[in-house]
Amino acid sequence: MENEFVFSSDPAALDPATDPAASMMFPESNENEPEGLTFYHMDLYESKGRLEIFPEEPAGRGDGALGETSKESTGPGEDFGSSDQSAYDLEKEVDELTKLYGLDEDKEIDQELLGGNIATAGILESKETPAHNEGVAAGSYGSIYNAPKSSSPVNGSQHKKHMESTEEQELPGKDSQDESQHLHNARAYDELHNHASSKEELRSDDRQDEQSIQPNSEEEAADIYCATCKIPIRAFDKLFGDHKDHEVTQLGNAVESAKEEIQKNMCKLEEQVTEMENFASHLEEIFITVEENFGRQEQNFETHYNEVMQTLTQRYEEKVEGLGEEKKQKLEALYGQLVSCGENLDTCKELMETIQELCKDKEKADFIKAAVPVVDRLGEFLKKDMDLELSALPDFEDRVIDFADVQQLMDSINTIAAPSAPVINPQAPNSATGTSVRVCWGLFSDDTVEFYQLYYKQVSDDTPSEEQAELMLKVKEAYCTVTNLVPNTQYEFWVSALNTAGVSPVSERAVYVTAPSPPIIKRKERRSCENAALVCWESGNMNPVDSYTVELSILTNGENGDIITESIVGIPNCEALIQLEPGQSYIISVRAVNMGGPSERSEPVSIHTTGTYFYLNEDTAHPLLSVLEDGLTIACSEIENLECDLSFRDNGFTRCIAILGSMIPFQGKHYWEVEVDENMEYRVGVAFENTHRHGYLGANSSSWCMRHIVTPARHKYEFLHSGTTPDIRITIPPKRIGILLDYDNWKLSFFNLDIAQHLYTFNSHFQHYVHPCFALEKPGFLRIRNGIAMPASITLL
């Protein structure tokens, strides 16, 4: 019967210490055991030596564990052992590791790792019929033993020759299978028996093998870099040493990184050297400045001393002069009071003498005549208030000399120098309002400043700068908010600093501008539809502004709309087309913006996106047509005197008593209504901006209208464009006409809303946006309703 042998990979499979079967096959004796198979060392890698020993591997073999029989028989001429695929995989893995860590450049290390000094060996496992296996059960176990490297080539050649002789015996055919099987069994027994005597030798050689695998640290140089420990290491240390779990990189990359880091530090070092050199130059300048400052301070002390002495002399003279002035005032007051008292005494004496003379014996008539004027004089004298209080006291006011300014001068005699010129900052965005602006400045040095003097004046193209009045403010801080200015106006600012040592030179001049005035929205000119609105406004400023900002807020459930929900910025012109949500109510306001910041909000306007809203342009109205206060009702009072002299407007109709509404500049559908009397003659429709003002609506190619006239026979309705009309008869005169303009579908439709009847539809390509137009042919009224939703009945027609 044919036997099949495989190599076992379990090193403890045939250990006599643990396996009774092994102890029976390998008795411990020192006798010479028969020569048989040579067992080779199985290491981590499939080495080249292993491949040389077993050059031809079978196409497939069993992958079972110890003692498991192979599922395919080994044919004639086949070797035993591991597959080529396993060796290829291990060799490929080692190649990848050597490339990863830069070992492919070192051929000696590569030969050491992949050399032919590591071999794999196993014992053969036989697979026979149950009857035959009973006799050779012990031969079905295998084990791995290590053999010395030196013996690998010799034993390999012996094994190869032995296998070739065995193959030659097995080649003849089926008749010799039993004999060859017997030879296989005998050879396996001999080899297993021979293994016991060489067990100790193999173990010692195994230890030598392990020592030979270890690299020589003295001979092998470091070839990779451990980023964790920051030291160069050997590739072996990464694979099997203490650095196994550390992060490593190629030594060349580490060198490049170190060079880059050194280069960066060199740049920093150069910067420090430059900084130190500049500092040394600065120290030299300071050394010279100390000498200069000493001379200035010496002169400063002398100047202050003279100022103090001059101030003291001035204070003395001022006090003496004030005291003499007070003395003069007292004496003058007393002298005047003395003169007045003398005059009063003279008057009293005179009156006493006159009264005594009057009391002498006289005729009654003479007495009365003389007494009346005396009584009058006496009464007037007694009515005068007599000032009997001293007008000046003899004591003088205590005059204390105020030495505060002298003390201030004394305190200023120190090393403080006059400050340098301040530096005024350019205007910051949003730093102004319509009437104020915030100005900021600073100092280059650490000068001591008690206060600043801020000067400013208005910049105007009409008035020369020299003639503008300069204003000045004293400020403690390095900033100031200047108020009471004109909106959207440029001002020129400059500043100087002061301390006890003197006044600094003035700074450079900077131009600031105040924020603009709020724009003024043209309420009557606002237009809207269900999804957009066109808002126009006036700037409200004499000077131009940079841009405008439109702010929107939605009114919901009666809220006041103070919360801004959207802002549209950067609008260059005084109008804006705004996209809105249908069926909403909006509050819209506008701000003007310049360098100084935004203006206050304009007066808001309300926009309702429930329908199309337009206004009537009175500049296009015929002189006999007037617009009432509500802005949507037109009236004509007389038409008899069309031939008389009328004051026509430049853009107004001259023949047709008509008026245009504002342009509808929105795509989509637009709806409005007209309320009329059934006996009124009118025209309603749309027209281009350039429609002929000296003709009639509907008589040209730039207008489309519905006309109603009353004849003796009936009410006649015409739908006119280019002077033509279709033959349409309307039996029920409409009192409420619905007009639907559809830009997208190029249609203009008319409806009788009283009975929900479609009257007529123009199909025309509108090359431009159109204006609603209205005309009266007889005296009467016509009322327009816009900004309303289109009735549901029209959508069904």
Side-chain angles (χ1 to χ4, degrees):
M1 298 180 65
E2 181 177 311
N3 293 336
E4 182 178 358
F5 299 90
V6 297
F7 287 95
S8 173
S9 60
D10 187 359
L14 293 178
D15 190 354
T18 59
D19 195 338
S23 62
M24 294 177 62
M25 290 186 292
F26 305 120
E28 296 182 0
S29 65
N30 296 326
E31 298 178 0
N32 293 329
E33 296 179 353
E35 296 181 358
L37 294 176
T38 303
F39 295 86
Y40 295 93
H41 176 67
M42 171 66 76
D43 206 314
L44 178 62
Y45 308 104
E46 293 284 352
S47 65
K48 292 182 179 179
R50 167 69 177 88
L51 299 176
E52 291 176 358
I53 295 173
F54 303 104
E56 297 180 358
E57 294 292 329
R61 60 173 270 255
D63 292 334
L66 176 64
E68 180 180 352
T69 59
S70 174
K71 300 208 174 152
E72 294 183 4
S73 300
T74 304
E78 291 180 341
D79 290 336
F80 311 98
S82 302
S83 66
D84 285 337
Q85 183 66 31
S86 175
Y88 170 76
D89 292 342
L90 292 172
E91 190 171 8
K92 181 179 180 181
E93 181 178 356
V94 172
D95 290 340
E96 291 178 353
L97 289 173
T98 56
K99 290 180 179 180
L100 177 63
Y101 298 108
L103 302 181
D104 51 344
E105 299 178 358
D106 193 344
K107 300 300 183 181
E108 295 180 0
I109 296 177
D110 186 68
Q111 290 296 328
E112 176 128 12
L113 289 176
L114 297 177
N117 58 347
I118 302 176
T120 304
I123 66 170
L124 300 175
E125 182 180 18
S126 69
K127 179 180 180 183
E128 302 189 30
T129 60
H132 187 273
N133 285 337
E134 288 178 0
V136 291
S140 63
Y141 294 91
S143 178
I144 296 176
Y145 292 91
N146 298 328
K149 288 184 181 180
S150 59
S151 64
S152 295
V154 178
N155 293 337
S157 61
Q158 293 176 357
H159 177 73
K160 185 174 182 181
K161 292 179 181 179
H162 184 72
M163 293 298 293
E164 289 176 353
S165 63
T166 305
E167 290 173 0
E168 291 176 355
Q169 295 176 1
E170 292 178 350
L171 285 176
K174 270 185 174 182
D175 296 337
S176 61
Q177 286 183 358
D178 293 342
E179 184 178 358
S180 63
Q181 186 66 40
H182 178 70
L183 290 175
H184 276 295
N185 294 339
R187 185 169 61 252
Y189 175 78
D190 291 342
E191 290 180 356
L192 293 174
H193 187 71
N194 187 46
H195 176 71
S197 61
S198 60
K199 182 177 180 181
E200 294 298 328
E201 182 182 357
L202 292 176
R203 289 179 178 175
S204 61
D205 290 341
D206 185 29
R207 287 191 295 269
Q208 295 176 4
D209 257 354
E210 293 177 355
Q211 293 176 0
S212 65
I213 292 176
Q214 300 295 328
N216 190 344
S217 60
E218 296 179 357
E219 297 177 357
E220 184 178 3
D223 46 12
I224 60 176
Y225 180 76
C226 178
T228 304
C229 300
K230 299 186 183 303
I231 57 172
I233 61 172
R234 300 166 301 168
F236 181 85
D237 294 334
K238 169 61 181 175
L239 295 175
F240 307 104
D242 297 336
H243 304 274
K244 185 175 183 180
D245 297 330
H246 293 181
E247 182 181 356
V248 298
T249 184
Q250 293 187 9
L251 192 59
N253 295 340
V255 171
E256 292 297 327
S257 300
K259 289 182 178 179
E260 291 178 1
E261 186 68 23
I262 292 173
Q263 185 67 26
K264 292 180 181 179
N265 293 333
M266 283 293 293
C267 294
K268 293 181 180 178
L269 187 60
E270 291 176 358
E271 292 177 358
Q272 290 184 359
V273 169
T274 303
E275 185 177 355
M276 293 300 294
E277 290 177 350
N278 294 336
F279 181 70
S281 301
H282 183 64
L283 287 177
E284 293 176 0
E285 295 176 357
I286 295 298
F287 186 87
I288 298 172
T289 305
V290 168
E291 294 290 341
E292 295 176 351
N293 288 341
F294 171 77
R296 284 198 297 267
Q297 290 302 323
E298 185 179 15
Q299 184 179 2
N300 185 34
F301 289 153
E302 183 179 355
T303 302
H304 278 75
Y305 172 78
N306 294 333
E307 289 179 356
V308 170
M309 298 304 297
Q310 183 180 356
T311 301
L312 289 174
T313 304
Q314 182 179 355
R315 292 292 179 271
Y316 170 77
E317 293 176 354
E318 289 177 356
K319 294 300 181 182
V320 172
E321 183 179 358
L323 190 61
E325 187 67 26
E326 184 180 359
K327 169 188 174 183
K328 180 180 178 181
Q329 292 176 358
K330 285 179 179 293
L331 292 178
E332 288 179 353
L334 292 173
Y335 178 78
Q337 191 175 15
L338 181 61
V339 171
S340 176
C341 183
E343 291 176 353
N344 289 332
L345 285 175
D346 292 341
T347 303
C348 289
K349 290 179 180 181
E350 182 182 357
L351 287 175
M352 289 294 295
E353 292 175 356
T354 304
I355 292 172
Q356 290 176 0
E357 185 68 27
L358 185 62
C359 291
K360 291 181 179 180
D361 294 337
K362 287 186 178 182
E363 292 293 333
K364 293 182 179 179
D366 297 334
F367 178 81
I368 291 299
K369 289 179 182 180
V372 171
V374 174
V375 172
D376 293 336
R377 284 186 62 193
L378 183 60
E380 290 177 2
F381 181 77
L382 294 176
K383 287 180 180 179
K384 291 172 62 176
D385 293 333
M386 303 299 292
D387 187 9
L388 301 178
E389 294 183 0
L390 293 175
S391 58
L393 298 175
D395 298 331
F396 284 87
E397 181 183 354
D398 292 336
R399 295 181 178 273
V400 179
I401 298 178
D402 184 11
F403 291 103
D405 50 353
V406 178
Q407 183 65 39
Q408 186 177 3
L409 288 172
M410 295 294 293
D411 295 338
S412 66
I413 304 177
N414 48 34
T415 58
I416 297 176
S420 58
V423 180
I424 194 164
N425 300 336
Q427 184 174 11
N430 302 323
S431 61
T433 66
T435 58
S436 66
V437 64
R438 181 182 175 89
V439 185
C440 300
W441 58 88
L443 292 172
F444 273 132
S445 58
D446 296 332
D447 293 337
T448 301
V449 177
E450 293 189 0
F451 63 91
Y452 299 91
Q453 290 178 338
L454 178 63
Y455 301 89
Y456 65 97
K457 65 179 179 180
Q458 183 176 342
V459 177
S460 176
D461 296 334
D462 300 332
T463 306
S465 178
E466 296 78 10
E467 298 181 8
Q468 293 287 346
E470 295 183 1
L471 302 175
M472 189 270 288
L473 296 174
K474 287 187 177 181
V475 185
K476 283 287 188 181
E477 306 295 336
Y479 58 87
C480 179
T481 299
V482 184
T483 58
N484 300 323
L485 304 178
V486 180
N488 199 32
T489 304
Q490 292 182 342
Y491 287 86
E492 196 174 42
F493 290 89
W494 64 99
V495 65
S496 62
L498 291 86
N499 62 13
T500 56
V503 183
S504 73
V506 296
S507 67
E508 296 290 335
R509 302 196 177 196
V511 176
Y512 281 55
V513 61
T514 53
S517 299
I520 303 171
I521 296 179
K522 300 177 181 179
R523 295 176 176 272
K524 292 184 178 181
E525 297 185 14
R526 67 184 187 275
R527 286 160 277 177
S528 65
C529 64
E530 291 186 351
N531 52 19
L534 180 64
V535 181
C536 303
W537 59 86
E538 295 178 355
S539 174
N541 294 273
M542 295 296 294
N543 298 323
V545 300
D546 295 341
S547 64
Y548 297 92
T549 299
V550 175
E551 297 178 344
L552 293 79
S553 58
I554 299 179
L555 291 173
T556 55
N557 300 326
E559 293 182 358
N560 56 12
D562 289 339
I563 300 176
I564 302 301
T565 58
E566 183 179 357
S567 294
I568 304 172
V569 300
I571 302 173
N573 303 320
C574 291
E575 64 177 27
L577 182 61
I578 310 166
Q579 300 298 321
L580 303 174
E581 295 291 334
Q584 299 288 345
S585 295
Y586 291 87
I587 295 294
I588 297 179
S589 58
V590 184
R591 296 178 188 264
V593 182
N594 65 6
M595 179 60 186
S599 69
E600 297 294 328
R601 291 183 192 171
S602 66
E603 288 294 327
V605 295
S606 60
I607 298 291
H608 305 283
T609 56
T610 53
T612 300
Y613 180 85
F614 57 86
Y615 65 94
L616 296 177
N617 187 357
E618 298 186 31
D619 292 336
T620 63
H622 189 277
L624 296 179
L625 196 67
S626 60
V627 180
L628 301 187
E629 292 183 359
D630 62 357
L632 293 174
T633 302
I634 60 175
C636 178
S637 57
E638 58 178 349
I639 60 174
E640 288 83 4
N641 299 325
L642 292 178
E643 302 283 334
C644 64
D645 294 335
L646 297 173
S647 177
F648 293 100
R649 298 178 175 91
D650 294 337
N651 196 31
F653 286 93
T654 60
R655 190 172 181 184
C656 183
I657 306 175
I659 189 173
L660 294 181
S662 59
M663 181 188 294
I664 302 177
F666 317 109
Q667 290 291 334
K669 296 180 179 180
H670 305 281
Y671 175 80
W672 63 94
E673 297 178 0
V674 178
E675 295 179 356
V676 296
D677 186 84
E678 62 181 10
N679 295 319
M680 183 187 306
E681 295 184 359
Y682 55 85
R683 297 175 190 237
V684 294
V686 297
F688 288 141
E689 171 69 29
N690 61 352
T691 190
H692 192 42
R693 300 293 196 269
H694 302 296
Y696 287 94
L697 295 175
N700 50 50
S701 61
S702 59
S703 59
W704 298 256
C705 71
M706 171 185 173
R707 182 191 182 197
H708 172 244
I709 57 175
V710 180
T711 65
R714 63 185 178 89
H715 292 272
K716 184 178 180 181
Y717 291 90
E718 297 175 339
F719 294 91
L720 296 168
H721 177 60
S722 298
T724 61
T725 178
D727 186 11
I728 295 177
R729 291 181 177 269
I730 298 175
T731 58
I732 302 175
K735 296 182 180 180
R736 193 160 63 101
I737 303 171
I739 303 175
L740 177 61
L741 172 64
D742 190 348
Y743 278 124
D744 298 335
N745 297 312
W746 306 340
K747 291 182 179 182
L748 176 67
S749 303
F750 298 87
F751 302 90
N752 184 349
L753 299 179
D754 299 329
I755 58 175
Q757 178 188 16
H758 172 250
L759 299 178
Y760 184 74
T761 296
F762 289 101
N763 290 285
S764 179
H765 180 61
F766 301 108
Q767 298 178 351
H768 309 284
Y769 290 122
V770 297
H771 298 248
C773 59
F774 311 92
L776 294 174
E777 299 188 0
K778 285 187 177 181
F781 297 88
L782 184 148
R783 187 173 185 274
I784 304 158
R785 298 180 68 240
N786 61 17
I788 57 177
M790 183 171 58
S793 58
I794 290 183
T795 60
L796 301 176
L797 296 178

mmCIF file of all heavy atoms in Angstrom, residues 421-449:
data_model
loop_
_atom_site.group_PDB
_atom_site.id
_atom_site.type_symbol
_atom_site.label_atom_id
_atom_site.label_comp_id
_atom_site.label_asym_id
_atom_site.label_seq_id
_atom_site.Cartn_x
_atom_site.Cartn_y
_atom_site.Cartn_z
ATOM 1 N N ALA A 421 4.581 116.125 18.378
ATOM 2 C CA ALA A 421 3.324 116.338 17.651
ATOM 3 C C ALA A 421 2.488 115.062 17.669
ATOM 4 O O ALA A 421 2.993 113.967 17.390
ATOM 5 C CB ALA A 421 3.620 116.746 16.219
ATOM 6 N N PRO A 422 1.207 115.142 17.999
ATOM 7 C CA PRO A 422 0.348 113.950 17.944
ATOM 8 C C PRO A 422 0.158 113.484 16.499
ATOM 9 O O PRO A 422 0.445 114.205 15.542
ATOM 10 C CB PRO A 422 -0.973 114.431 18.558
ATOM 11 C CG PRO A 422 -0.653 115.695 19.268
ATOM 12 C CD PRO A 422 0.496 116.309 18.521
ATOM 13 N N VAL A 423 -0.348 112.269 16.380
ATOM 14 C CA VAL A 423 -0.640 111.678 15.073
ATOM 15 C C VAL A 423 -2.142 111.422 15.022
ATOM 16 O O VAL A 423 -2.666 110.597 15.782
ATOM 17 C CB VAL A 423 0.135 110.365 14.859
ATOM 18 C CG1 VAL A 423 -0.202 109.770 13.489
ATOM 19 C CG2 VAL A 423 1.623 110.600 14.994
ATOM 20 N N ILE A 424 -2.838 112.116 14.170
ATOM 21 C CA ILE A 424 -4.283 111.974 14.072
ATOM 22 C C ILE A 424 -4.606 110.775 13.191
ATOM 23 O O ILE A 424 -3.978 110.551 12.151
ATOM 24 C CB ILE A 424 -4.930 113.274 13.547
ATOM 25 C CG1 ILE A 424 -6.436 113.249 13.770
ATOM 26 C CG2 ILE A 424 -4.591 113.509 12.092
ATOM 27 C CD1 ILE A 424 -7.089 114.613 13.654
ATOM 28 N N ASN A 425 -5.563 109.962 13.617
ATOM 29 C CA ASN A 425 -5.906 108.739 12.902
ATOM 30 C C ASN A 425 -6.872 109.031 11.761
ATOM 31 O O ASN A 425 -7.673 109.958 11.843
ATOM 32 C CB ASN A 425 -6.553 107.731 13.855
ATOM 33 C CG ASN A 425 -5.638 107.345 14.990
ATOM 34 O OD1 ASN A 425 -4.419 107.460 14.862
ATOM 35 N ND2 ASN A 425 -6.194 106.886 16.091
ATOM 36 N N PRO A 426 -6.818 108.225 10.703
ATOM 37 C CA PRO A 426 -7.854 108.339 9.669
ATOM 38 C C PRO A 426 -9.220 107.974 10.246
ATOM 39 O O PRO A 426 -9.319 107.295 11.279
ATOM 40 C CB PRO A 426 -7.412 107.335 8.595
ATOM 41 C CG PRO A 426 -5.983 107.026 8.898
ATOM 42 C CD PRO A 426 -5.808 107.220 10.369
ATOM 43 N N GLN A 427 -10.249 108.403 9.588
ATOM 44 C CA GLN A 427 -11.600 108.135 10.079
ATOM 45 C C GLN A 427 -11.910 106.647 10.003
ATOM 46 O O GLN A 427 -11.677 105.995 8.984
ATOM 47 C CB GLN A 427 -12.632 108.924 9.271
ATOM 48 C CG GLN A 427 -14.057 108.757 9.801
ATOM 49 C CD GLN A 427 -15.052 109.648 9.099
ATOM 50 O OE1 GLN A 427 -14.734 110.250 8.081
ATOM 51 N NE2 GLN A 427 -16.251 109.739 9.627
ATOM 52 N N ALA A 428 -12.421 106.125 11.099
ATOM 53 C CA ALA A 428 -12.837 104.730 11.147
ATOM 54 C C ALA A 428 -14.245 104.593 10.577
ATOM 55 O O ALA A 428 -15.058 105.504 10.702
ATOM 56 C CB ALA A 428 -12.796 104.205 12.589
ATOM 57 N N PRO A 429 -14.554 103.459 9.948
ATOM 58 C CA PRO A 429 -15.916 103.270 9.431
ATOM 59 C C PRO A 429 -16.946 103.320 10.558
ATOM 60 O O PRO A 429 -16.688 102.888 11.687
ATOM 61 C CB PRO A 429 -15.851 101.881 8.782
ATOM 62 C CG PRO A 429 -14.407 101.652 8.500
ATOM 63 C CD PRO A 429 -13.666 102.359 9.592
ATOM 64 N N ASN A 430 -18.106 103.852 10.225
ATOM 65 C CA ASN A 430 -19.241 103.937 11.157
ATOM 66 C C ASN A 430 -18.892 104.713 12.429
ATOM 67 O O ASN A 430 -19.363 104.379 13.518
ATOM 68 C CB ASN A 430 -19.748 102.531 11.522
ATOM 69 C CG ASN A 430 -20.159 101.733 10.306
ATOM 70 O OD1 ASN A 430 -20.708 102.282 9.359
ATOM 71 N ND2 ASN A 430 -19.900 100.441 10.329
ATOM 72 N N SER A 431 -18.046 105.735 12.295
ATOM 73 C CA SER A 431 -17.639 106.520 13.469
ATOM 74 C C SER A 431 -18.358 107.861 13.543
ATOM 75 O O SER A 431 -17.965 108.711 14.341
ATOM 76 C CB SER A 431 -16.128 106.752 13.430
ATOM 77 O OG SER A 431 -15.755 107.479 12.266
ATOM 78 N N ALA A 432 -19.393 108.039 12.726
ATOM 79 C CA ALA A 432 -20.069 109.339 12.696
ATOM 80 C C ALA A 432 -21.574 109.147 12.643
ATOM 81 O O ALA A 432 -22.074 108.078 12.277
ATOM 82 C CB ALA A 432 -19.603 110.155 11.481
ATOM 83 N N THR A 433 -22.281 110.189 13.044
ATOM 84 C CA THR A 433 -23.718 110.286 12.840
ATOM 85 C C THR A 433 -23.972 111.483 11.931
ATOM 86 O O THR A 433 -23.036 112.091 11.418
ATOM 87 C CB THR A 433 -24.453 110.440 14.178
ATOM 88 O OG1 THR A 433 -24.082 111.712 14.766
ATOM 89 C CG2 THR A 433 -24.084 109.330 15.148
ATOM 90 N N GLY A 434 -25.224 111.823 11.763
ATOM 91 C CA GLY A 434 -25.515 112.962 10.909
ATOM 92 C C GLY A 434 -25.023 114.279 11.463
ATOM 93 O O GLY A 434 -24.750 115.213 10.697
ATOM 94 N N THR A 435 -24.860 114.394 12.780
ATOM 95 C CA THR A 435 -24.468 115.669 13.388
ATOM 96 C C THR A 435 -23.221 115.560 14.260
ATOM 97 O O THR A 435 -22.860 116.517 14.929
ATOM 98 C CB THR A 435 -25.620 116.209 14.246
ATOM 99 O OG1 THR A 435 -25.954 115.239 15.253
ATOM 100 C CG2 THR A 435 -26.848 116.497 13.400
ATOM 101 N N SER A 436 -22.572 114.418 14.285
ATOM 102 C CA SER A 436 -21.385 114.268 15.133
ATOM 103 C C SER A 436 -20.394 113.332 14.466
ATOM 104 O O SER A 436 -20.745 112.550 13.572
ATOM 105 C CB SER A 436 -21.764 113.722 16.524
ATOM 106 O OG SER A 436 -22.255 112.400 16.419
ATOM 107 N N VAL A 437 -19.147 113.419 14.935
ATOM 108 C CA VAL A 437 -18.097 112.546 14.434
ATOM 109 C C VAL A 437 -17.103 112.299 15.564
ATOM 110 O O VAL A 437 -16.846 113.185 16.387
ATOM 111 C CB VAL A 437 -17.397 113.170 13.202
ATOM 112 C CG1 VAL A 437 -16.682 114.451 13.580
ATOM 113 C CG2 VAL A 437 -16.435 112.191 12.568
ATOM 114 N N ARG A 438 -16.578 111.091 15.623
ATOM 115 C CA ARG A 438 -15.607 110.714 16.653
ATOM 116 C C ARG A 438 -14.209 110.761 16.053
ATOM 117 O O ARG A 438 -13.922 110.043 15.087
ATOM 118 C CB ARG A 438 -15.918 109.323 17.197
ATOM 119 C CG ARG A 438 -14.961 108.848 18.291
ATOM 120 C CD ARG A 438 -15.318 107.439 18.730
ATOM 121 N NE ARG A 438 -14.386 106.898 19.681
ATOM 122 C CZ ARG A 438 -14.457 107.025 20.995
ATOM 123 N NH1 ARG A 438 -15.460 107.710 21.513
ATOM 124 N NH2 ARG A 438 -13.569 106.481 21.790
ATOM 125 N N VAL A 439 -13.355 111.617 16.638
ATOM 126 C CA VAL A 439 -11.991 111.814 16.147
ATOM 127 C C VAL A 439 -11.024 111.192 17.151
ATOM 128 O O VAL A 439 -11.163 111.395 18.372
ATOM 129 C CB VAL A 439 -11.684 113.308 15.954
ATOM 130 C CG1 VAL A 439 -10.305 113.493 15.329
ATOM 131 C CG2 VAL A 439 -12.751 113.966 15.081
ATOM 132 N N CYS A 440 -10.031 110.446 16.654
ATOM 133 C CA CYS A 440 -9.039 109.790 17.518
ATOM 134 C C CYS A 440 -7.640 110.144 17.042
ATOM 135 O O CYS A 440 -7.414 110.393 15.853
ATOM 136 C CB CYS A 440 -9.228 108.267 17.493
ATOM 137 S SG CYS A 440 -10.847 107.701 18.054
ATOM 138 N N TRP A 441 -6.699 110.156 17.991
ATOM 139 C CA TRP A 441 -5.302 110.432 17.670
ATOM 140 C C TRP A 441 -4.420 109.722 18.685
ATOM 141 O O TRP A 441 -4.896 109.097 19.636
ATOM 142 C CB TRP A 441 -5.031 111.941 17.659
ATOM 143 C CG TRP A 441 -5.356 112.635 18.966
ATOM 144 C CD1 TRP A 441 -4.546 112.798 20.035
ATOM 145 C CD2 TRP A 441 -6.619 113.212 19.314
ATOM 146 N NE1 TRP A 441 -5.199 113.445 21.035
ATOM 147 C CE2 TRP A 441 -6.480 113.731 20.617
ATOM 148 C CE3 TRP A 441 -7.847 113.354 18.670
ATOM 149 C CZ2 TRP A 441 -7.531 114.357 21.280
ATOM 150 C CZ3 TRP A 441 -8.887 113.988 19.314
ATOM 151 C CH2 TRP A 441 -8.716 114.493 20.614
ATOM 152 N N GLY A 442 -3.116 109.821 18.515
ATOM 153 C CA GLY A 442 -2.189 109.172 19.435
ATOM 154 C C GLY A 442 -0.841 109.855 19.405
ATOM 155 O O GLY A 442 -0.610 110.824 18.684
ATOM 156 N N LEU A 443 0.094 109.320 20.220
ATOM 157 C CA LEU A 443 1.452 109.855 20.319
ATOM 158 C C LEU A 443 2.443 108.750 20.002
ATOM 159 O O LEU A 443 2.248 107.583 20.401
ATOM 160 C CB LEU A 443 1.727 110.406 21.721
ATOM 161 C CG LEU A 443 0.959 111.669 22.136
ATOM 162 C CD1 LEU A 443 1.204 111.953 23.608
ATOM 163 C CD2 LEU A 443 1.385 112.860 21.294
ATOM 164 N N PHE A 444 3.524 109.100 19.312
ATOM 165 C CA PHE A 444 4.571 108.133 19.045
ATOM 166 C C PHE A 444 5.403 107.844 20.289
ATOM 167 O O PHE A 444 5.896 106.746 20.487
ATOM 168 C CB PHE A 444 5.485 108.641 17.930
ATOM 169 C CG PHE A 444 4.998 108.292 16.555
ATOM 170 C CD1 PHE A 444 4.941 109.254 15.567
ATOM 171 C CD2 PHE A 444 4.587 107.008 16.247
ATOM 172 C CE1 PHE A 444 4.492 108.939 14.304
ATOM 173 C CE2 PHE A 444 4.141 106.682 14.991
ATOM 174 C CZ PHE A 444 4.085 107.647 14.012
ATOM 175 N N SER A 445 5.582 108.832 21.140
ATOM 176 C CA SER A 445 6.448 108.700 22.317
ATOM 177 C C SER A 445 5.604 108.673 23.586
ATOM 178 O O SER A 445 4.384 108.821 23.549
ATOM 179 C CB SER A 445 7.440 109.869 22.369
ATOM 180 O OG SER A 445 6.735 111.097 22.414
ATOM 181 N N ASP A 446 6.296 108.474 24.714
ATOM 182 C CA ASP A 446 5.622 108.440 26.014
ATOM 183 C C ASP A 446 5.632 109.824 26.661
ATOM 184 O O ASP A 446 5.956 109.981 27.841
ATOM 185 C CB ASP A 446 6.311 107.428 26.937
ATOM 186 C CG ASP A 446 6.204 106.013 26.398
ATOM 187 O OD1 ASP A 446 5.212 105.750 25.685
ATOM 188 O OD2 ASP A 446 7.100 105.199 26.675
ATOM 189 N N ASP A 447 5.292 110.825 25.896
ATOM 190 C CA ASP A 447 5.285 112.184 26.429
ATOM 191 C C ASP A 447 4.179 112.356 27.461
ATOM 192 O O ASP A 447 3.123 111.732 27.384
ATOM 193 C CB ASP A 447 5.078 113.202 25.300
ATOM 194 C CG ASP A 447 6.269 113.227 24.345
ATOM 195 O OD1 ASP A 447 7.354 112.820 24.776
ATOM 196 O OD2 ASP A 447 6.088 113.633 23.185
ATOM 197 N N THR A 448 4.464 113.227 28.437
ATOM 198 C CA THR A 448 3.447 113.587 29.421
ATOM 199 C C THR A 448 2.590 114.707 28.855
ATOM 200 O O THR A 448 3.107 115.744 28.449
ATOM 201 C CB THR A 448 4.110 114.036 30.732
ATOM 202 O OG1 THR A 448 4.919 112.969 31.228
ATOM 203 C CG2 THR A 448 3.052 114.415 31.761
ATOM 204 N N VAL A 449 1.285 114.467 28.805
ATOM 205 C CA VAL A 449 0.353 115.429 28.220
ATOM 206 C C VAL A 449 -0.736 115.733 29.239
ATOM 207 O O VAL A 449 -1.313 114.817 29.842
ATOM 208 C CB VAL A 449 -0.272 114.875 26.923
ATOM 209 C CG1 VAL A 449 -1.293 115.854 26.353
ATOM 210 C CG2 VAL A 449 0.815 114.585 25.899
#
